[in-house]
Amino acid sequence: MDHRQYIEQYLSADIDGELSPAESQAVSSHLSSCADCRQRQADERAFKALLRQQIPILSAPPELRRKIVAALDREDAARVPPQVRRFSRLPLWLGWAGAAAAAAAIFVVVLMSSPRRHSPPSPGNPALEAAANDYLKAEHEFVPGSGLNTQTDLANALTMNFGYPFIWDFSSLGLNLAGGQIVHRPDGQLVAYSLYKGKGQSILCINLRQMDFSFPPGGHALHGVRFYRYRGLWIGVVNYGSVFCYFVTRMSPQQMLPALIHSGGLNPGSL
Amino acid sequence: MAMGAGDSQKRKQFETEALPHLDLLFTTAMHLTRNRDDADDLCQETMLRAYRFFHQYSPGTDCRAWLLTIMYNAFRSSYSRRQGREQLSASTQEFERAIDAESNQNASQADPQQLLIRSGLDEDVEKALDSLPEEFRTALLLVDVNDLSYAQAAQTLDVPIGTVRSRLSRARSMMRYALTHMVRARRSAGS
């Protein structure tokens, strides 16, 4: 490791007290024999102190405080979430009519793709098992979380927790948003559920943030979605950076995929 | 519609736990957006979202880190995209090249205290901070200005801790480089 890498990896973190005991020991050992790094570490320490001194904490302007308090008053009074300016574009995004032609073309491709090429996942895969159990439970009983039963509220909550409003338009399948839940699983994992229901059909969307995720083995990839046939259900898995979306349904990939594409859901570049 | 007892308690708790962090949020928003109007909007949006979802905040945990996560997500989903990521990456590359070149000549290793004395202007530090590409500026803001741990910063930025570690180190190098050049520029202008 050259000096630049060494400084990047260790010295800066050392002055922040963010090294593990083993790393800290290794740095001490290195510094005892490296005058350059000793000097650099002293500089880093002084520079950090300088930054703390010289970047002032600004006072929020009184009018900003007044605006915030007024916004909270309105929120309390109305009990209806006011329009959030950022999502005023949401209906346009959901009505992404320009995708319709592409969706139709891809629908043909999907129909021509043989689901028989799908290879079964390992039995008892924990991620698929959890998704299937969540769906089977939601299919019978799904109570939206407090303030998560409208599209705008759910979009806001998803954006806050996952960085983007993962709302889909499955109206072409006759499915409408029934509500959402954002909960912690027993292991502390934050999970968002959005249920779309229609006549005899439903899709449960599950959002998870997983840094070390890998797709379950097997399955069949179609247009960025890896589909798994699991316990009589179809589970589509899509990756958006560190966020993973599971779409669990009894509908076939051929039915679901064009609607997903129409929603803009398979266009991560637009996120 | 009058507030119920539960709402009144929620409002009181929000005012006690969240609103006191407004100065820090405003400072962070100013450096993130580099624009007063956008900083105001970002603060309002952050506080409103936080209030609306205050039931998801666990009392006793770090409210400041929770608010900063909301702010960063709001910023990432709207403002940063507006400013253009391509431009920022080009700026990152320019910084990287310049720092490498200076490192080879040992020119950016100036004593920080000397650097400040030569600079003589506090606002140089803020200007240097605002000149950093977004991902480095944010790491520095969260750790050096907001006092978040690396783990909290990693959670806020949704990146691994190792990424925070390297971004922060590079951010400090970039700051040092930017300040050095401001001092040089002033000296050239004065001579």
Side-chain angles (χ1 to χ4, degrees), chain A residues 4 8 16 86 209 242, chain B residues 51 79 100 147 150 158 170:
Chain A
R4 182 184 140 176
E8 278 202 4
D16 290 327
R86 308 289 164 213
R209 192 185 289 286
S242 64
Chain B
Y51 188 55
Y79 297 90
D100 286 347
D147 276 331
Y150 284 16
D158 188 22
R170 292 305 276 169

Side-chain angles (χ1 to χ4, degrees), chain A residues 64-82, chain B residues 1-4 7-8 10-12 14-15 19 44 47-48 51-52:
Chain A
L64 174 61
R65 285 183 192 277
R66 279 195 293 273
K67 281 182 192 170
I68 289 171
V69 169
L72 299 184
D73 288 344
R74 282 195 301 274
E75 184 78 5
D76 284 335
R79 294 278 179 77
V80 176
Chain B
M1 189 184 293
M3 277 199 290
D7 294 322
S8 170
K10 172 190 167 188
R11 175 69 178 262
K12 197 173 170 186
F14 187 81
E15 288 181 351
L19 280 184
Q44 287 185 65
M47 281 300 188
L48 199 54
Y51 188 55
R52 202 168 281 165

Side-chain angles (χ1 to χ4, degrees), chain B residues 1 4 21-22 47 54 57 68 74 79 89 146 148 150-151 171 174:
Chain B
M1 189 184 293
H21 298 292
L22 184 58
M47 281 300 188
F54 198 50
Y57 165 68
L68 285 166
Y79 297 90
S89 345
N146 285 288
L148 294 196
Y150 284 16
M174 287 174 179

